[in-house]
Amino acid sequence: MNRLNLPSQSAAAPSAAVETPASRALAITFAALLGAFVVGGVGFSHIAAAHNAAHDVRHAVAFPCH
């Protein structure tokens, strides 16, 4: 305890996060599905702004779209 009766820094130190192969695979899978939805799903949207944004991304990454 220090002068203010607070626990010392070392006593309250957070533990390091451990990344497992399963959590990494889950994160990669979720990112891939989200990306596929944004580029593919939104690209076929009837909302012009969403369609145009996805269309521009397709051209930026050299993905054939037409």
Side-chain angles (χ1 to χ4, degrees), residues 29-59:
T29 301
F30 181 72
L33 290 173
L34 181 62
F37 170 74
V38 169
V39 173
V42 177
F44 293 109
S45 173
H46 294 288
I47 302 170
H51 171 81
N52 291 337
H55 189 255
D56 292 344
V57 170
R58 286 185 195 149
H59 281 289

Side-chain angles (χ1 to χ4, degrees), residues 10-37:
S10 62
S15 60
V18 177
E19 183 177 352
T20 63
S23 66
R24 184 174 174 93
L26 182 63
I28 290 171
T29 301
F30 181 72
L33 290 173
L34 181 62
F37 170 74

